[in-house]
Amino acid sequence: MQRAVKKLHIETYGCQMNVADSEVVASILSPYYKITDSLRDADLVLLNTCSVRDHAEQRIRKRLHELASLKKKNKSLVIGLLGCMAERIKEQLLEEEKVLNFIAGPDAYRSLPKLIEEADSEIISFNVHLSDVETYDDIEPVRYNSNGVSAYISIMRGCNNYCTYCVVPYTRGRERSRDSKTIFDEAELLFEKGYKEVTLLGQNVNSYCWKSGDTKIDFADLTELIAQISPLLRVRFATSHPKDISDKLLYVMAKYPNICKYIHLPVQSGSNKMLKRMNRVYTREYYLERIKKIKKILPECAISTDIIVGFCGETEQDHQDTLSLMREVDYEYAFMFKYSVREGTKAAEKFENDIPEELKIKRLEEIIALQQHLSLESNKRDVGKTFEVLIEGVSKRSDRHFFGRNSQNKVCVFPKMNCKIGEYLTVEITKCTAGTLISEL
Ligand code: SAH
Ligand code: SF4
Ligand code: F3S
């Protein structure tokens, strides 16, 4: 492909892993393209897509129709679709969405220069091959949208868990871990460049495993290695599957103040019948035992979760079980969703999507209201406490205030004073909302 400085605009949908992937894509294309924020300046537009729920795909279809009118005005504009939706719908998408010049699945980003070159010669091209080994471990991501303080590091790809409702194992392929040395080097380089926080990413980070000669590095070992880079580098991670979260990890977290005291532990449902149908392979009792252990070893730890309402066959009692589990755990935060049927998954094939939409909405509203209450109560308990926060940027509401997060991942807003973005500051919380801790000092 010819080296010329053209302009690339990337839009990213879906999870944090997609944000990290877009940075890999920017790196792969950096010899040929400079990133632009402006859609109008772009020679190439890439949408990095998500398929996790139907709503996510509908949003992307809508965006493609908007891009089609832009392309009418600028015929030379090249448009490519990346990510999970490209993988899920494949060639069919090229037929359906005439605006697309090419599509590339999550393991095909090294072939982007070639796909784009072919697209230039008006051949519609695609690569949706899924790999058992690709981890992009030698590629230094271009942090084009960064605040210079926090960065994501992808430590593994794919998922082997096959929760019955979930499309991710089909769009992202087999689980594979990345060489721990390249993860360490990437984190160290970020710290040298002034970054103060890294988030280690995978669909199921607790099953991370890298073998080098006779040594085996598991997720707890990896987290400890990264935490040792500097006490000034915060370490976060996502996502933990309840079945794999080990005591060893909890003890490592307790040992290092710079490993943030925050665990995202998706439960999905509080009912054993639903958990079994979902193939989550743990019970309510096992999950609650894990929570008890977290609270014992890490008394300051905040816990958040993901919940699906209205999964196939969910009764009022199952729903009540979810509500009671939420109260028992007392989550700081939750991401809550209505079940969305994904074609090709086991649930779509085996179970009837039998909960009417209105009932799904009602149940969703109930869990959102409960979580709102739990979050507010949790924040109220923090009023009067002091926290160390990492300053991440200027508050959206007021340019006289900064925002940052404490170790528990709670957003804190405080007056700017003489501080700078990227510094640590100790603040006393004087008031709160359900979503924010506020310091007026
Ligand atoms: N690997 C992570 C989750 C990745 S997807 C884990 O296992 O925890 C993020 C969340 O989307 C899931 O936790 C689940 O709550 C939700 N989700 C996945 N598939 C869904 C579907 N078909 N309908 C509704 N929500 C879904
Ligand atoms: Fe999906 Fe389950 Fe894998 Fe999470 S663990 S990505 S919910 S299959
Ligand atoms: Fe979506 Fe794919 Fe992430 S389906 S949630 S972008 S792994």
Side-chain angles (χ1 to χ4, degrees):
M1 207 176 149
Q2 255 215 332
R3 289 181 185 235
V5 184
K6 289 187 170 181
K7 299 265 175 61
L8 163 63
H9 179 76
I10 310 183
E11 294 181 8
T12 306
Y13 300 82
C15 62
Q16 297 162 321
M17 308 217 45
N18 258 11
V19 176
D21 279 5
S22 289
E23 295 179 340
V24 166
V25 167
S27 176
I28 290 169
L29 293 177
S30 62
Y32 322 102
Y33 289 92
K34 290 270 163 291
I35 292 280
T36 175
D37 284 344
S38 152
L39 185 59
R40 297 202 175 275
D41 289 349
D43 303 288
L44 169 64
V45 177
L46 296 175
L47 302 190
N48 192 1
T49 62
C50 175
S51 274
V52 78
R53 285 168 289 276
D54 186 52
H55 177 73
E57 290 194 350
Q58 293 309 331
R59 249 181 88 202
I60 291 153
R61 297 261 191 195
K62 189 160 162 256
R63 188 64 180 145
L64 285 174
H65 298 154
E66 287 165 11
L67 291 177
S69 50
L70 190 68
K71 200 165 175 173
K72 272 196 195 126
K73 289 182 214 140
N74 174 9
K75 297 246 174 334
S76 64
L77 183 68
V78 178
I79 300 177
L81 199 85
L82 316 178
C84 291
M85 191 174 167
E87 191 63 50
R88 193 180 85 79
I89 313 184
K90 305 194 172 79
E91 307 92 292
Q92 198 191 327
L93 258 177
L94 291 167
E95 299 269 316
E96 288 169 10
E97 303 291 349
K98 299 279 183 226
V99 63
L100 290 173
N101 295 94
F102 64 92
I103 63 174
D107 288 343
Y109 298 149
R110 286 183 203 266
S111 68
L112 279 172
K114 187 166 166 284
L115 288 171
I116 295 164
E117 193 163 42
E118 286 173 5
D120 273 348
S121 55
E122 289 189 1
I123 298 171
I124 294 178
S125 50
F126 63 93
N127 182 351
V128 288
H129 174 72
L130 282 175
S131 158
D132 285 348
V133 291
E134 179 64 274
T135 57
Y136 301 114
D137 59 357
D138 56 326
I139 292 172
E140 190 193 334
V142 173
R143 317 272 173 189
Y144 63 90
N145 219 354
S146 162
N147 60 0
V149 179
S150 314
Y152 292 136
I153 302 181
S154 183
I155 64 161
M156 57 206 294
R157 301 182 70 81
C159 181
N160 288 352
N161 288 324
Y162 291 93
C163 303
T164 54
Y165 52 80
C166 184
V167 78
V168 172
Y170 306 94
T171 61
R172 293 258 165 184
R174 306 297 291 165
E175 182 182 287
R176 66 218 95 124
S177 295
R178 175 179 168 187
D179 184 340
S180 59
K181 168 93 174 57
T182 68
I183 299 169
F184 182 86
D185 290 348
E186 192 173 320
E188 200 172 44
L189 188 65
L190 284 165
F191 184 66
E192 280 165 14
K193 285 184 176 170
Y195 284 82
K196 296 287 167 51
E197 181 177 83
V198 293
T199 304
L200 309 178
L201 292 181
Q203 292 298 353
N204 179 13
V205 288
N206 298 99
S207 70
Y208 175 87
C209 182
W210 182 257
K211 288 193 193 99
S212 163
D214 286 341
T215 43
K216 195 180 119 205
I217 296 173
D218 65 16
F219 184 62
D221 302 328
L222 179 73
T223 309
E224 180 157 28
L225 274 173
I226 305 295
Q228 285 168 344
I229 290 174
S230 165
L232 292 177
L233 181 69
R234 276 184 170 184
V235 185
R236 296 186 185 275
F237 53 84
T239 298
S240 298
H241 193 298
K243 77 180 164 69
D244 296 315
I245 189 160
S246 66
D247 288 357
K248 182 175 166 189
L249 176 71
L250 302 180
Y251 287 117
V252 167
M253 288 178 76
K255 191 168 149 195
Y256 293 88
N258 58 324
I259 304 180
C260 290
K261 303 300 176 276
Y262 168 62
I263 300 178
H264 181 60
L265 201 65
V267 68
Q268 313 301 354
S269 169
S271 146
N272 280 335
K273 191 181 95 206
M274 287 295 109
L275 288 172
K276 190 148 192 247
R277 275 203 149 186
M278 290 174 166
N279 191 32
R280 291 293 287 183
V281 304
Y282 52 81
T283 59
R284 174 191 175 99
E285 293 72 28
Y286 172 88
Y287 183 90
L288 288 172
E289 182 278 323
R290 291 285 77 202
I291 295 289
K292 229 186 223 162
K293 209 54 183 279
I294 293 170
K295 293 192 176 184
K296 186 162 167 234
I297 300 173
L298 304 165
E300 299 296 305
C301 191
I303 303 168
S304 64
T305 198
D306 292 347
I307 292 173
I308 299 176
V309 296
F311 189 55
C312 313
E314 186 187 65
T315 62
E316 182 57 29
Q317 184 56 51
D318 296 322
H319 174 57
Q320 290 301 327
D321 288 349
T322 298
L323 290 164
S324 75
L325 179 129
M326 288 171 73
R327 281 187 214 100
E328 201 166 333
V329 178
D330 198 7
Y331 290 113
E332 264 70 28
Y333 191 77
F335 299 87
M336 295 159 279
F337 312 103
K338 281 181 295 174
Y339 171 57
S340 166
V341 186
R342 308 317 288 138
E343 205 184 308
T345 60
K346 205 163 161 199
E349 279 161 18
K350 280 186 66 177
F351 310 128
E352 195 189 340
N353 179 26
D354 55 356
I355 308 302
E357 184 63 15
E358 315 81 74
L359 191 53
K360 284 184 184 171
I361 294 172
K362 178 174 165 281
R363 288 178 182 170
L364 184 64
E365 284 170 353
E366 282 173 19
I367 63 166
I368 290 174
L370 173 57
Q371 187 52 51
Q372 191 76 1
H373 168 75
L374 296 177
S375 298
L376 181 61
E377 289 304 308
S378 162
N379 282 356
K380 278 188 192 162
R381 291 193 293 273
D382 287 341
V383 174
K385 291 187 191 164
T386 54
F387 292 107
E388 183 179 69
V389 293
L390 173 60
I391 307 178
E392 289 178 41
V394 177
S395 160
K396 283 196 195 99
R397 296 247 176 100
S398 143
D399 58 11
R400 287 181 293 118
H401 290 76
F402 276 135
F403 79 93
R405 278 172 302 154
N406 66 6
S407 177
Q408 288 73 11
N409 207 37
K410 289 189 178 179
V411 174
C412 305
V413 174
F414 44 90
K416 273 183 172 173
M417 297 180 293
N418 289 325
C419 309
K420 284 206 282 295
I421 292 171
E423 286 178 348
Y424 288 100
L425 179 72
T426 301
V427 296
E428 186 184 341
I429 304 307
T430 51
K431 54 183 194 179
C432 72
T433 65
T436 315
L437 299 177
I438 300 161
S439 169
E440 295 160 310
L441 299 181

